Amino acid sequence: MIFKEKVGVQSVRLALSVIAGSMLIGGYAHAQTEAPQRIEITGSNIKRADKEGTSPIQTITAKEIKQSGATTVLELLKNVPSMGTGGYSDTPDQNGFSRGVATASLRGLGSTSTLILLNGRRMTPSAYANPNNGQSTLYDLNSIPLSAIEKVEIFKDGASAVYGSDAVAGVINFITKRDYQGGEISTSIAANDDREFGRQNVNGTIGFGDYSSQGYNVLFAVDYRKQNATTMKNGSNDINAQAYADINYRLNPYSSSVSNQAFFYKERTPGSLSFFTTGATVINQTNCDPSRKVTGAAVNNIAATSVLFGRTFCNYDLDADTDVQTKGDDISFMTVGNLKINDKLSAFGEFAYNDSKRVYRASPRTISGTSPTTNFLVGGLATPFQAILPIGHPDNPNKDARTAVSYRFENLKTGTDLDNKASRLVAGLKGTVATWDWESAVLWNRSERNEVAHGFLYLPTLRKLVTDNRSLASIAADPTLSPDLTNIGTAEIAQWDAKATTEFGSLGGGAIGFAAGVELRQEKLTIAPDPINARGDILGLATTAIDAKRNVSSAFFEVRTPFLKNFEMDFAGRYDKYPSFKGNFVPKVGAKWTVVDGLAFRGTYAEGFRAPALSQVAAGGAQFFLNGTVDPIRCPNGANPVAGAETADCSKSVSGVGGANPDLKPEKSKSLAFGMIYSPTANFDVVVDAYKLRQEGEVALSSSTFLLEHPGNFPADYIIRDTNPLNQLKDANGNPIPGTGPLLAVKTPWVNQGSTEVSGVDVELKMRNNLGENGKLSTSLRSTYLISYRRAESPGDVERNAVGTAGGLNDWATSVGNIPRLRATLRTVWEKGPHTAYGTINFTDSVSQYRRYDNATTYATPYCYYGAGVPAGATTTFANQPNYTKYFPDCQISSWTTLDVGYSYSGFKDLTLGINIRNITDSKAPYSPTTTATTVQQGYNSTLHNDFGRYFTISARYVFR
């Protein structure tokens, strides 16, 4: 661990050394300057000559895009240090509320707080109703064709005063190529050094028409990408597989005892619904291939008290059905056109279409009769199902008692076929009237999700196991047992906007700039579950049903005041009106002071807001499962069940039902930023921006933990338990205790709760060197250093700094994930004639796994949550792991440093060949401790690292003249 930490520190030192060395080579020669051209920068509607305004903006240029080796927008943004945790990376471990989606999360505030724009206008969110905090609005990066993009501008400041809701953490604006003439076709093939994680890409771009001389230009771009499936076993060479095996029993020979060889549990007393789950009365079948037989032992993570210990049973290998990269196909098309009508009027338009397909594999479904399975229908719960074989049933081995059975329907087709489509149309006019420049457009954007699920169990057929005494074999062979289920979702926005800009008057630094605009938008969201599921006829499958729309109206203004030649201020404000909410106005003010040529200071103050997502205010909503739930009545310390309870009560999968809350209010935020722009030479730039952002009244699901621990604060129907007296806990006299039965479901409606405050410093250094006959050398360092990340789940909670920790462990009362303190990239590019070579060092800091606080309580001695030595009585689920302490005595996720290199050659006529090798040193993704089974299967933390290892991309690009 010490060595790995030193590598990270040395990387940062190396960065500073290279920059300093480059500065000495570059000298102090100033290049000749040209007359400035006025351009529009993301974050403002007023054009300016200086690209560095009052707010921090990172620009990824066309050259940087080509040299990155990225074939998707997600891959391009992964190396942006300000991109924090909380987004999705289109990985197989994403839940059913985000499958196939890739999102961005600036400052680690979640996908909902980062607004995605295409040519300055909104995209529609994907057609999901995600109940997870910070993920209710998902802007899918997969729908943007990378080949059409000229540059990306990342506005790292609160932007609600300009763009409205969802721009709390900032804005990412993808700007397409303009006035492009000619054509090119590119292709690439990629895989790691095990020939896994394969991806193939081909794209083409063609543009014709010279706008300045012919009065028009049209661009066509198309991208096609295919990715191959990689299984869990084949994708394990570039993670810390041995640690996962020894600590989490990953890829253990034992996976699941529930197979097509049934287990039978005898009922204790007639009608009790209570079953013997240990001892000789438990019977299991073993008519399977010998290679599947396992005898339960400690090496399989089977406790000595388990019914499986010492018993031979048929194992079902869940890992064989698990992929770490799904099979997928993506095709994107985009055309952009501009037409000059006359000298003062022009028209523009865009059309885009995207189709992303994913194939998700899954293990066959199971039934278990020892406890009832919760079933769902739209808006509530359906009749539960419990697989109990009556006396005389052909499969019941007990002649004198009913028997619960567990069984897996291995013969069924399983998995999910997902198809996410998006269509976008923009048409507008812009022109000049007197001193005013104006622009108006209509936008229509629609996303559609078509999801076909296989292998779920049809209850009317399944119930015949009990009601008609049909055998397991006959039920399994029944063609009606598992109908395909089709869930459809659509999200849509229709928008009209208009804006105008002008200059007037004269101040010490020039004319006053002014912009104003209006925007009318209708948002729609429709999610329809399969009718079979909607009426409650599918075993254990939650439903989401929404049909909602709303109209939003907005108006904004901006004023730029150059009071002096070296001092300017910006003022902006926006008013938004959402249905059921009061009108909301947010202001922003910024200032920039140029002390001398080459040195300037800037700062901003902004207020922001985020309206609750349509899925959070619409009738209906998502149903879901809360995994790892601790029942505080039946398992008070989170590890040991009380008498009469079961181990499952300490980590249970409980159904949750969200719901609209008419009292919801928009989230509010305030942000401060202060920065310095320093260019001591024409070839060396230093940009430093410090920021602080506070978000309050965040919309989130009510805490199930708080609900369960404080039931008296909520209506009685918010907690649903098994009311069978035989399954309730007993008092000293053996009498059932009401309200102590096994937990079945909870209600957790949306509420405004808690706050998040984040502060840090962004540093960007750029050096450009002319090496004469040896070519050109460009070096850049980009980093984000977090100072604080404080989270309070509810008003009044103590706000602890989570930077450098797993926030939810550091403070047990919060739900914060892993927050590394430093992320940085150091990049150097050398160019000479047809040769281009480049290298990038990427650094992600370590993350502590210590528990230190529980809201207002400060532990006398912090302890390593996953390691040995957890104090007695501590609430734990997966802890006290001696092997974790053996592997990681420092109790942290290690820092991760990777080196990417690449080379391209353009010496052939119109042809460029290239190779890119990411992580050339084959650095394995660090071990990330977790209780989440899907994360263990993937074998790494997808928000911090990747499991590709040394990854090769070979590319070719041909340009048509």
Side-chain angles (χ1 to χ4, degrees), residues 67-289:
Q67 294 174 350
S68 68
T71 59
T72 67
V73 167
L74 174 66
E75 290 176 4
L76 181 68
L77 294 182
K78 274 289 188 180
N79 287 333
V80 175
S82 57
M83 210 62 65
T85 58
Y88 288 121
S89 300
D90 190 8
T91 51
D93 60 332
Q94 291 173 204
N95 56 52
F97 302 105
S98 63
R99 276 181 172 166
V101 170
T103 66
S105 173
L106 284 170
R107 308 301 188 201
L109 293 177
S111 305
T112 58
S113 296
T114 301
L115 181 62
I116 304 297
L117 305 177
L118 183 57
N119 288 328
R121 287 183 170 84
R122 284 176 174 261
M123 295 171 54
T124 187
S126 294
Y128 287 95
N130 195 318
N132 295 287
N133 294 349
Q135 309 296 347
S136 59
T137 304
L138 304 176
Y139 297 102
D140 188 8
L141 302 176
N142 287 334
S143 64
I144 302 172
L146 187 61
S147 65
I149 303 303
E150 176 69 21
K151 62 179 177 178
V152 183
E153 293 182 344
I154 303 172
F155 187 84
K156 300 182 289 186
D157 199 0
S160 290
V162 179
Y163 296 110
S165 182
D166 299 341
V168 170
V171 171
I172 303 177
N173 187 15
F174 295 90
I175 301 170
T176 57
K177 297 171 182 176
R178 300 289 179 176
D179 207 16
Y180 178 84
Q181 298 167 50
E184 64 179 72
I185 184 169
S186 301
T187 185
S188 66
I189 184 169
N192 71 1
D193 50 10
D194 298 313
R195 299 184 181 181
E196 295 293 341
F197 300 98
R199 298 181 179 183
Q200 303 87 46
N201 175 271
V202 60
N203 61 68
T205 307
I206 186 171
F208 53 88
D210 187 327
Y211 186 81
S212 59
S213 62
Q214 296 176 289
Y216 74 95
N217 180 262
V218 180
L219 169 77
F220 294 95
V222 61
D223 283 19
Y224 172 74
R225 187 174 72 96
K226 178 181 180 180
Q227 63 183 41
N228 306 332
T230 292
T231 65
M232 178 178 170
K233 184 173 294 185
N234 291 340
S236 295
N237 289 340
D238 295 294
I239 62 171
N240 199 332
Q242 192 60 53
Y244 276 104
D246 290 348
I247 300 170
N248 303 90
Y249 296 87
R250 185 180 187 271
L251 290 176
N252 190 274
Y254 162 61
S255 185
S256 172
S257 63
V258 184
S259 70
N260 63 358
Q261 300 300 297
F263 268 73
F264 302 98
Y265 305 90
K266 185 178 181 180
E267 191 171 29
R268 295 176 186 272
T269 56
S272 67
L273 295 177
S274 178
F275 302 89
F276 293 102
T277 56
T278 59
T281 59
V282 177
I283 301 171
N284 67 287
Q285 299 170 334
T286 56
N287 185 25
C288 61
D289 188 277

Side-chain angles (χ1 to χ4, degrees), residues 255 280 317 431 488 648 677 893 929:
S255 185
D317 188 1
I488 296 175
I677 307 164
I893 300 175

Side-chain angles (χ1 to χ4, degrees), residues 436-516:
W436 290 84
D437 293 332
W438 61 272
E439 180 178 318
S440 181
V442 291
L443 162 67
W444 174 81
N445 200 175
R446 174 187 173 93
S447 66
E448 180 177 336
R449 174 174 54 88
N450 188 288
E451 199 170 21
V452 181
H454 314 285
F456 285 92
L457 304 180
Y458 184 52
L459 281 167
T461 299
L462 189 61
R463 291 187 194 279
K464 293 179 182 179
L465 176 71
V466 178
T467 60
D468 295 2
N469 271 8
R470 288 181 58 180
S471 68
L472 287 165
S474 70
I475 293 292
D478 194 316
T480 67
L481 176 62
S482 181
D484 288 346
L485 305 176
T486 301
N487 299 314
I488 296 175
T490 59
E492 184 178 309
I493 59 173
Q495 175 180 300
W496 170 78
D497 60 67
K499 65 180 180 182
T501 65
T502 189
E503 292 184 342
F504 61 90
S506 180
L507 296 174
I512 299 171
F514 176 79

Side-chain angles (χ1 to χ4, degrees), residues 614-642:
L614 194 51
S615 62
Q616 295 172 324
V617 295
Q623 298 168 333
F624 43 86
F625 285 95
L626 298 165
N627 297 317
T629 301
V630 176
D631 186 336
I633 291 178
R634 299 172 66 87
C635 186
N637 70 352
N640 305 110
V642 299

Side-chain angles (χ1 to χ4, degrees), residues 404-417:
V405 61
S406 64
Y407 181 85
R408 186 181 300 274
F409 293 90
E410 295 185 19
N411 60 305
L412 297 180
K413 178 183 178 181
T414 62
T416 301
D417 299 322

